[in-house]
């Protein structure tokens, strides 16, 4: 534990961080002069970006894990001139839904399904997550079997009535549910995606009997996911029912405390945003809210700088998120959370437990491990001086000189390097190395974990990392970017101008997105393709109406129609844009994806999809004319690994400046490490480009 004057200085630094953190003006112009803010709440820090009078300001403060909204509201008061009451719009990235699932702290839910399908969540697909594991660990469903109920009813695959809904049996089930005292009810009947008549009758009956207080506590599969595959559909609405009451309470708290004139939008997992009211009906769409904002922010900055083939590395205090973009972000329609299937559009993001707060330990076999457990914001890494006792990745970086005790968070937060060294010595004794070698080992293990994550989104999916630019952001991403790139021969690394708050910037530039889908299950004949043109009109009207409710103008609306197709007999589909040449397009896409096409086999159209996008005005990143200039460090220091580290301040670097590694670049929201053998240059948008050699 820290004592004396040193502790008082650190306490003052943290109070200053919370109350009067440096607000840095950024080199952006913005057409809309009404104050708007983007807020990303992470496990350790809460990041804010404010657009006000044509400029963007950034702010960073410690998160409040027990009440995530507290740090957001505090930050808005501090960063907004005149206080939060001047704000007109707030865009927010949230981890509330994700944490509720991972920590199993969601709502108490019940499931009603067709007679004979009570165990749909438990039987699943009988897949083995690890092929040769004799005792696989299968996550328990979010709704236990004692709260899964079945009612007699049946439709056929065309939606025709086979057995009417037994209302007496339904009332008996509702009696039991009322006795259970649930927060939400999920309803998933067989073939309801074709005909939702029975699900709607169940909803009306629940409301008539007052089993729940509000309509949004009833989750219908025909509304959340009107697509075939009963297990995936049931899993998705179970997730929705589990997180909807939690998110509804969280959003209600935010809306109550935000100024009345402020509208609140929430980031979705597909990289778009939606108004807060929709969260009460689409809560599970926020499952990857925070990471999606970072991907969108990174793509916007990189594309402006001339790079549209990127791999994003978002490394914060708790986790690292990695994604690949080849030209344009491509959400996928099938994913999972904690190994629970989720069939919704989500950006393809690989998440690992490797952040600045990841705890280093020795396992039962004597091997050094890093993560996935994290020290979080409280108590945090040992060097933070807040009572942390377990060594973390941030402690290792501080011991190696890559986090500077005098320049962390722009010099506004002191680090207790001595306490970090003492904690590392204890870990070093367990592994049999000296303190510096152990710290280097902790960093190397974290880099290996990052390497594996990048390989999963690139090489494992047929992409060559050497064709991409690594965009590193988050508080810790710029510290590890070069070493991660070197392992995979990635030729260049781009560090945005404000990497530590890029997720918050991504919230400001994200477009409004709405999605509607419908299973059609028909052969891809010319007649059926023509029929789809009529079917899509209904979905297009729904998307258009939803965008109007988001206050989007007609001229800012864009619509995309696509279909999921497969060869007859296949179990999985490919998504492609709708056109009159669907058959040819599908054969070509199948060949490009899998290396072959069965052009003589019949093709099925499985799902019809419509995506509506409301284009928002985005910050314009100003370009600065530059000329080559060798930047001079403001100081140097000895590296614990040998050699000299040159020190630079980010705000002192201008377009055209260049310098070689080994070097550190300090700024309020992050620190960039340039290893030996790498060189740095500043482009016209004030991004730092790092290259080997």
């Amino acid at each position: 534990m820290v004592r004396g004057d040193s502790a008082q200085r650190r306490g003052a630094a943290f109070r200053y961080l919370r109350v009067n953190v440096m607000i840095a003006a950024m080199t952006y112009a913005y057409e809309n002069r009404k104050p708007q803010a983007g807020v990303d709440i992470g496990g350790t820090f809460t990041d804010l970006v404010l657009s006000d009078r044509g400029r963007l300001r950034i702010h960073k403060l410690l998160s409040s894990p027990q009440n995530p909204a507290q740090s957001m509201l505090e930050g808005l008061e501090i960063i907004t001139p005149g206080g939060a009451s001047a704000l007109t719009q707030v865009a927010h990235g949230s981890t509330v839904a994700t944490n509720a699932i991972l920590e199993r702290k969601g709502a108490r839910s019940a499931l009603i399904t067709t007679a004979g399908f009570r165990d749909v969540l438990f039987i699943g697909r009988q897949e083995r997550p690890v092929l040769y594991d004799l005792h696989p660990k299968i996550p328990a469903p979010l709704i236990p079997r004692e709260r899964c109920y079945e009612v007699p009813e049946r439709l056929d695959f065309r939606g025709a009535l086979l057995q009417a809904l037994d209302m007496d049996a339904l009332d008996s089930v509702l009696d039991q549910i009322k006795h259970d005292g649930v927060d939400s009810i999920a309803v998933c009947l067989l073939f309801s995606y074709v005909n939702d008549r029975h699900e709607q009758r169940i909803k009306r009956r629940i409301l008539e009997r007052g089993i729940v207080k509000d309509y949004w506590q009833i989750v219908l599969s025909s509304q959340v996911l009107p697509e075939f595959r009963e297990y995936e559909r049931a899993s998705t609405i179970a997730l929705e029912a589990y997180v909807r009451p939690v998110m509804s309470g969280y959003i209600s708290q935010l809306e109550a405390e935000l100024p009345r004139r402020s509208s609140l939008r929430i980031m979705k997992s597909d990289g778009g945003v939606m108004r807060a009211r929709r969260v009460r009906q689409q809560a599970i769409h926020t499952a990857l809210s925070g990471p999606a904002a970072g991907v969108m922010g990174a793509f916007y900055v990189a594309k402006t700088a001339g790079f549209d083939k990127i791999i994003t590395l978002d490394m914060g205090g708790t986790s690292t998120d990695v994604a690949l973009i080849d030209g344009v972000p491509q959400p996928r329609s099938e994913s999972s959370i904690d190994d629970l299937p989720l069939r919704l559009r989500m950006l393809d993001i690989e998440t690992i437990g490797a952040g600045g707060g990841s705890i280093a330990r020795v396992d039962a076999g004597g091997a050094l491990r890093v993560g996935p457990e994290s020290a979080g914001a409280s108590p945090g890494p040992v060097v933070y001086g807040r009572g942390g006792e377990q060594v973390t990745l941030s402690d290792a970086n501080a011991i190696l000189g890559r986090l500077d005790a005098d320049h962390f968070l722009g010099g506004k937060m002191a680090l207790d390097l001595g306490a970090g060294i003492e904690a590392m010595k204890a870990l070093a004794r367990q592994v049999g190395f000296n303190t510096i070698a152990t710290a280097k080992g902790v960093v190397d293990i974290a880099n290996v974990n990052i390497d594996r994550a990048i390989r999963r989104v690139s090489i494992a999916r047929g992409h060559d990392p050497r064709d991409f630019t690594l965009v590193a952001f988050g508080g810790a991403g710029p510290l590890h970017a070069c070493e991660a790139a070197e392992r995979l021969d990635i030729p260049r690394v781009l560090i945005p101008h404000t990497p530590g708050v890029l997720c918050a910037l991504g919230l400001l530039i994200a477009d409004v997105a709405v999605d509607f889908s419908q299973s059609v299950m028909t052969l891809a004949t010319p007649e059926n393709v023509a029929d789809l043109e009529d079917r899509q009109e209904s979905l297009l009207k729904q998307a258009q109406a939803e965008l109007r409710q988001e206050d989007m103008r007609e001229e800012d609306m864009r619509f995309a129609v696509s279909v999921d197709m497969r060869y007859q007999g296949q179990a999985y589909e490919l998504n492609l844009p709708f056109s009159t040449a669907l058959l040819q397009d599908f054969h070509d896409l199948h060949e490009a994806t899998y290396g072959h096409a069965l052009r003589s086999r019949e093709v099925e159209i499985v799902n019809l999809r419509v995506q509506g996008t409301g284009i928002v005005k985005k910050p314009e990143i100003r370009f600065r004319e530059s000329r080559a200039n060798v930047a001079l460090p403001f100081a140097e220091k000895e590296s614990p690994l040998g050699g000299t580290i040159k020190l630079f301040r980010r705000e002192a670097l201008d377009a055209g400046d260049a310098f070689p590694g080994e070097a550190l670049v300090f700024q309020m929201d992050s620190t960039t490490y340039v290893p030996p053998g790498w060189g740095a240059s500043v482009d016209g948008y004030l991004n730092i480009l790092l290259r080997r050699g």
Side-chain angles (χ1 to χ4, degrees):
M1 297 296 293
V2 182
R3 301 179 177 86
D5 294 340
S6 177
Q8 293 177 1
R9 286 197 301 272
R10 275 186 296 280
F14 269 98
R15 288 192 293 274
Y16 187 84
L17 174 64
R18 272 199 168 282
V19 179
N20 194 23
V21 70
M22 179 182 69
I23 298 176
M26 300 167 64
T27 57
Y28 295 86
Y30 199 40
E31 295 179 14
N32 191 341
R33 293 179 176 269
K34 297 178 181 179
Q36 301 182 9
V39 185
D40 177 61
I41 300 179
T44 305
F45 287 101
T46 294
D47 305 326
L48 303 96
V49 173
L50 175 77
S51 167
D52 181 36
R53 295 182 176 87
R55 300 191 59 91
L56 292 185
R57 301 166 183 260
I58 68 173
H59 180 69
K60 201 175 186 78
L61 73 164
L62 288 170
S63 295
S64 45
Q66 302 305 318
N67 182 9
Q70 178 183 341
S71 57
M72 171 181 176
L73 297 168
E74 285 184 17
L76 290 174
E77 281 293 335
I78 296 170
I79 195 175
T80 310
S85 59
L87 287 168
T88 58
Q89 184 171 294
V90 177
H92 174 36
S94 168
T95 59
V96 172
T98 310
N99 292 341
I101 296 168
L102 297 180
E103 298 172 8
R104 292 298 196 268
K105 294 181 179 178
R108 181 179 175 86
S109 305
L111 172 68
I112 299 176
T113 187
T114 302
F117 286 82
R118 178 186 179 186
D119 294 314
V120 62
L121 293 176
F122 301 85
I123 296 174
R125 291 292 175 197
Q126 294 293 293
E127 295 175 341
R128 299 180 68 87
V130 181
L131 185 60
Y132 296 108
D133 188 350
L134 297 180
H135 304 284
K137 295 181 180 179
I138 307 297
L142 300 178
I143 302 177
R145 192 174 187 274
E146 59 267 23
R147 292 203 301 273
C148 293
Y149 301 94
E150 53 188 16
V151 293
E153 68 83 38
R154 196 61 179 262
L155 304 174
D156 69 11
F157 70 97
R158 296 185 182 89
L161 181 65
L162 295 177
Q163 181 181 0
L165 175 63
D166 188 330
M167 298 302 293
D168 291 335
L170 174 61
D171 282 332
S172 178
V173 165
L174 295 182
D175 289 339
Q176 297 177 62
I177 291 176
K178 185 175 183 178
H179 181 267
D180 286 339
V182 300
D183 302 310
S184 60
I185 302 173
V187 184
C188 184
L189 303 181
L190 203 62
F191 300 116
S192 61
Y193 62 87
V194 183
N195 184 342
D196 68 347
R197 177 171 54 180
H198 286 174
E199 286 197 353
Q200 291 292 346
R201 288 190 66 185
I202 291 175
K203 179 178 180 179
R204 288 194 299 269
R205 192 61 172 165
I206 293 172
L207 293 174
E208 287 170 2
R209 295 198 46 187
I211 306 298
V212 295
K213 296 180 180 179
D214 295 295
Y215 71 93
W216 54 261
Q217 293 175 272
I218 307 170
V219 183
L220 303 185
S221 70
S222 54
Q223 293 178 337
V224 174
L225 187 66
E227 299 179 14
F228 90 122
R229 292 198 174 104
E230 69 279 1
Y231 169 56
E232 288 76 9
R233 184 156 48 93
S235 176
T236 299
I237 71 158
L239 285 161
E240 175 70 28
Y242 192 71
V243 301
R244 186 181 285 185
V246 176
M247 283 299 297
S248 180
Y250 176 67
I251 295 301
S252 296
Q253 178 188 357
L254 287 181
E255 289 184 315
E257 299 193 41
L258 284 172
R260 290 186 179 181
R261 61 179 294 190
S262 300
S263 65
L264 179 63
R265 283 178 174 165
I266 306 298
M267 171 62 74
K268 298 169 57 186
S269 303
D270 63 358
V273 291
M274 62 180 171
R275 70 187 190 282
R277 292 191 302 274
R278 283 174 59 202
V279 174
R280 292 186 176 90
Q281 296 179 327
Q282 300 179 13
I284 196 59
H285 284 264
T286 67
L288 285 181
S289 179
V295 173
M296 300 308 294
F299 178 67
Y300 179 68
V301 170
K303 188 173 182 180
T304 301
F307 306 103
D308 61 358
K309 293 169 68 74
I310 65 170
I311 297 172
T312 65
L313 174 62
D314 178 6
M315 192 171 185
T318 305
S319 63
T320 294
D321 303 305
V322 176
L324 182 143
I325 298 176
D326 190 357
V328 64
Q330 289 286 358
R332 58 180 178 178
S333 59
E334 188 171 351
S335 186
S336 65
I337 296 180
D338 198 23
D339 293 327
L340 300 172
L342 176 61
R343 284 188 63 87
L344 293 173
R345 284 171 57 87
M346 306 175 71
L347 292 177
D348 193 0
I349 300 173
E350 184 78 24
T351 299
I352 60 173
S358 293
I359 295 172
R361 69 191 191 287
V362 177
D363 67 13
L368 185 61
R369 303 286 185 183
V370 179
E373 297 85 1
S374 174
S378 179
V382 178
V383 293
Y384 282 13
R386 292 172 59 85
E389 298 179 352
Q390 294 179 289
V391 172
T392 68
L393 181 58
S394 288
D395 297 314
N397 276 314
I399 291 169
L400 296 178
R402 300 175 185 182
L403 286 180
D404 192 275
D406 298 323
H407 299 93
F408 189 64
L409 285 177
K412 305 304 179 186
M413 175 179 165
L415 296 180
D416 188 350
L417 185 58
I421 291 174
E422 288 302 314
M424 188 64 72
K425 285 181 179 178
L427 182 65
R429 286 193 291 269
Q430 295 183 59
V431 296
F433 296 142
N434 63 43
T435 303
I436 299 301
T438 304
K440 185 65 167 60
V442 170
V443 171
D444 287 343
I445 290 171
N447 289 335
V448 169
N449 292 335
I450 294 170
D451 172 275
R452 291 172 179 167
I454 295 176
R455 288 176 183 272
R456 284 195 289 269
V457 301
S458 58
I459 297 172
R461 297 174 189 174
H463 299 281
D464 188 341
R466 295 173 294 185
D467 298 333
F468 292 79
T469 297
L470 184 66
V471 182
F473 54 100
L479 279 173
H480 295 261
C482 289
E483 291 174 327
E486 193 160 356
R487 287 176 171 273
L488 291 160
D489 288 332
I490 298 175
R492 73 188 68 84
V493 174
L494 185 148
I495 310 295
H497 184 244
T498 52
V501 296
L502 196 67
C503 289
L505 176 63
L507 290 161
L508 275 183
I509 61 95
D511 294 322
V512 175
V514 298
D515 294 283
F516 295 90
S517 64
Q518 180 65 58
S519 283
V520 292
M521 302 299 293
T522 186
L523 291 178
T525 63
E527 296 80 10
N528 291 336
V529 171
D531 289 342
L532 287 183
E533 296 183 10
D534 297 329
R535 290 201 188 197
Q536 67 183 261
E537 287 303 318
S538 174
L539 298 182
L540 284 168
K541 288 178 181 178
Q542 293 180 59
Q544 190 175 40
E546 196 70 50
L547 289 176
R548 288 197 190 103
Q549 292 184 27
E550 294 277 3
D551 299 323
M552 300 305 303
R553 301 179 303 176
E554 299 287 338
E555 56 267 31
D556 294 328
M557 297 181 186
R558 306 288 186 273
F559 301 95
V561 182
S562 65
V563 291
D564 296 336
M565 300 178 68
R566 65 184 183 184
Y567 288 118
Q568 195 170 33
Q570 279 187 321
Y572 296 97
E573 303 82 45
L574 290 175
N575 180 263
L576 63 158
F578 179 82
S579 73
T580 56
L582 272 180
L583 273 175
Q584 183 62 43
D585 293 345
F586 172 74
H587 291 311
D588 293 344
L589 179 59
H590 195 281
E591 186 167 17
T593 304
Y594 299 113
H596 70 281
L598 306 175
R599 298 181 186 272
S600 61
R601 179 172 292 185
E602 289 188 320
V603 177
E604 284 183 316
I605 302 172
V606 177
N607 299 311
L608 176 65
R609 302 184 184 278
V610 169
Q611 181 183 29
T613 303
I615 307 299
V616 303
K617 291 184 177 180
K618 297 174 176 57
E620 178 187 353
I621 306 178
R622 292 174 177 166
F623 181 81
R624 294 190 179 191
E625 296 295 335
S626 61
R627 58 181 180 180
N629 176 57
V630 177
L632 299 177
F634 72 87
E636 295 182 348
K637 69 175 184 179
E638 292 185 3
S639 168
L641 295 173
T644 301
I645 303 176
K646 298 175 282 294
L647 308 181
F648 296 86
R649 292 188 177 92
R650 185 73 184 259
E651 63 269 21
L653 297 175
D654 203 354
D657 285 354
F659 54 91
E662 186 174 10
L664 289 174
V665 182
F666 303 124
Q667 60 191 106
M668 188 272 289
D669 56 321
S670 188
T671 298
T672 301
Y673 174 61
V674 187
W678 284 73
S681 61
V682 183
D683 69 7
Y685 300 102
L686 298 187
N687 303 307
I688 295 179
L689 289 174
L690 305 172
R691 294 183 175 89
R692 282 181 294 170

